[in-house]
């Protein structure tokens, strides 16, 4: 069992719980013990695209974690909370409400490479302990600024004009970007405070909501529903990089981890495949020298 289940994670379910639900349903469907991992944590208060890797696809989880992601999120103005979301204590309030034009004008300052301070309630480790554990214990948590990239940031089309109690935005961001911090800083930039009242991930790497299934559909699979559209092939997580077709001799060399030369191809990361079109390995070409980055053990 190798491939991907793309879950449209519901509100209130943690990423670890989602992985456990996939394992349970695979067992109930008769697949026995399958290695399972996820490609990017989603908070329980967030919904949307959660790529869950099966078998050899788990070797791509690190690459999925590094991928850019797209979110829709709503900033509720006037109240800032300790967690910068709908949970936590209120730590600041403001009576000011920005106009749509003010929000739109501020977005340019948060597009491109930016520095942001992660929320105290985050999974970042400080002296070996999770920041959220320290924060919940009442410790004063000092978070260090980090560099991230906001590739695109815009106002969601479904927004009313006027003094805003809330605004919904769409952001395409690099790994390590905290949407809650982005929302906090945008609120500051327009002269008020705010928190995230809705967060939905619409894309993670090559996966979007069109390929995602509901928890109900996952559970139906565990109870005997057809596998069709539930499990995507491993190569579905590789569509954003080019494929490299190898001869049988070249495929054997790559599977053995040997270096290849003399293949006409562009520099960069590729996924190699043999005559049966199954993925053999992730390979990196640099100046005509092809090296294996990660091999896949996929038997026909």
């Amino acid at each position: 069992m190798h491939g991907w289940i793309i879950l449209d994670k519901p509100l209130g379910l943690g990423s670890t719980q989602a992985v456990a639900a996939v394992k349970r349903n695979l067992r109930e469907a008769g697949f026995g013990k399958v290695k399972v991992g996820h490609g990017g944590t989603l908070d329980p208060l967030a919904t949307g695209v959660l790529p869950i890797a099966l078998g050899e696809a788990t070797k791509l989880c690190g690459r999925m974690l590094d991928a850019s992601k797209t979110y829709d999120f709503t900033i509720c103005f006037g109240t800032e909370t300790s967690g910068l979301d709908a949970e936590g204590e209120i730590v600041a309030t403001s009576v000011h409400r920005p106009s749509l034009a003010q929000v739109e004008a501020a977005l340019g300052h948060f597009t491109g490479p930016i520095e942001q301070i992660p929320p105290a309630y985050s999974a970042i480790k400080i002296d070996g302990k999770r920041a959220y554990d320290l924060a919940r214990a009442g410790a004063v948590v000092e978070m260090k600024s980090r560099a991230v990239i906001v590739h695109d940031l815009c106002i969601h089309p479904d927004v009313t004009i006027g003094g805003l109690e809330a605004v919904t935005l769409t952001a395409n961001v690099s790994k390590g970007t905290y949407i809650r911090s982005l929302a906090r800083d945008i609120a500051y930039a327009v002269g008020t405070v705010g928190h995230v009242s809705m967060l939905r991930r619409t894309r993670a790497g090559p996966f979007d909501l069109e390929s995602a299934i509901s928890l109900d559909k996952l559970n139906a699979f565990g109870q005997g529903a057809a596998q069709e559209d539930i499990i995507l092939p491993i190569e579905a997580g590789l569509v954003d990089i080019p494929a490299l077709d190898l001869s049988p001799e070249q495929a054997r060399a790559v599977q053995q981890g040997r270096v290849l030369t003399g293949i006409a191809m562009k520099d960069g990361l590729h996924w190699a495949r043999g005559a049966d079109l199954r993925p053999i390995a992730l390979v990196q070409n640099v100046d005509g020298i092809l090296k294996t980055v990660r091999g896949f053990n996929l038997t026909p």
Side-chain angles (χ1 to χ4, degrees):
M1 175 56 63
H2 309 287
W4 299 91
I5 290 177
I6 313 304
L7 185 65
D8 185 350
K9 191 191 79 64
L11 194 68
L13 188 74
S15 298
T16 302
Q17 293 171 305
V19 168
V22 167
K23 288 181 177 179
R24 184 187 72 251
N25 279 283
L26 286 171
R27 287 195 303 271
E28 291 174 351
F31 287 100
K33 190 174 182 180
V34 179
K35 189 175 182 181
V36 180
H38 67 76
T41 300
L42 267 183
D43 293 338
L45 292 183
T47 66
V49 176
L50 180 63
I52 298 178
L54 313 177
E56 288 294 284
T58 57
K59 293 178 178 179
L60 296 171
C61 281
R63 186 171 177 272
M64 198 59 59
L65 291 171
D66 290 342
S68 63
K69 298 172 178 67
T70 302
Y71 298 87
D72 290 341
F73 64 104
T74 299
I75 308 174
C76 183
F77 293 118
T79 305
E80 182 178 328
T81 65
S82 56
L84 301 180
D85 55 22
E87 290 187 340
E89 299 177 357
I90 295 175
V91 296
T93 61
S94 172
V95 297
H96 177 67
R97 299 294 182 269
S99 68
L100 189 64
Q102 287 174 317
V103 174
E104 193 166 24
L107 298 187
H109 299 291
F110 298 95
T111 304
I114 65 170
E115 294 279 333
Q116 68 170 197
I117 297 175
Y121 287 83
S122 64
I124 294 172
K125 285 191 174 181
I126 300 175
D127 297 329
K129 296 182 178 179
R130 298 290 185 187
Y132 54 65
D133 288 331
L134 295 171
R136 287 168 185 157
V140 176
V141 181
E142 292 188 13
M143 307 299 294
K144 295 182 179 179
S145 176
R146 59 165 56 187
V148 298
I149 301 174
V150 178
H151 301 293
D152 188 56
L153 179 63
C154 63
I155 295 174
H156 197 275
D158 300 331
V159 172
T160 57
I161 298 175
L164 298 180
E165 291 295 326
V167 65
T168 299
L169 307 176
T170 298
N172 177 255
V173 300
S174 70
K175 71 169 184 174
T177 303
Y178 279 90
I179 298 297
R180 288 176 289 156
S181 294
L182 184 62
R184 173 200 61 203
D185 295 343
I186 291 171
Y188 288 168
V190 295
T192 187
V193 295
H195 68 272
V196 172
S197 60
M198 183 281 293
L199 177 61
R200 182 159 177 76
R201 187 155 70 193
T202 59
R203 177 177 290 275
F207 300 116
D208 58 22
L209 286 169
E210 288 187 8
S211 55
I213 63 169
S214 67
L215 185 60
D216 286 344
K217 192 170 183 179
L218 174 65
N219 290 333
F221 165 65
Q223 297 304 312
Q227 181 179 331
E228 185 181 1
D229 299 329
I230 299 292
I231 301 174
L232 303 179
I234 189 172
E235 51 266 37
L238 298 168
V239 295
D240 54 340
I241 59 174
L244 174 65
D245 292 314
L246 298 178
S247 68
E249 183 179 346
Q250 291 169 332
R252 282 192 296 273
V254 167
Q255 288 172 318
Q256 293 166 3
R258 288 187 277 142
V259 174
L260 292 179
T261 59
I263 300 178
M265 59 184 293
K266 293 182 179 179
D267 281 0
L269 193 67
H270 297 67
W271 63 279
R273 60 188 182 186
D276 60 0
L277 303 182
R278 294 167 66 86
I280 296 171
L282 280 179
V283 293
Q284 183 84 28
N285 185 59
V286 179
D287 296 331
I289 299 175
L290 187 71
K291 295 182 178 180
T292 300
V293 176
R294 201 69 191 261
F296 301 119
N297 184 23
L298 300 175
T299 56

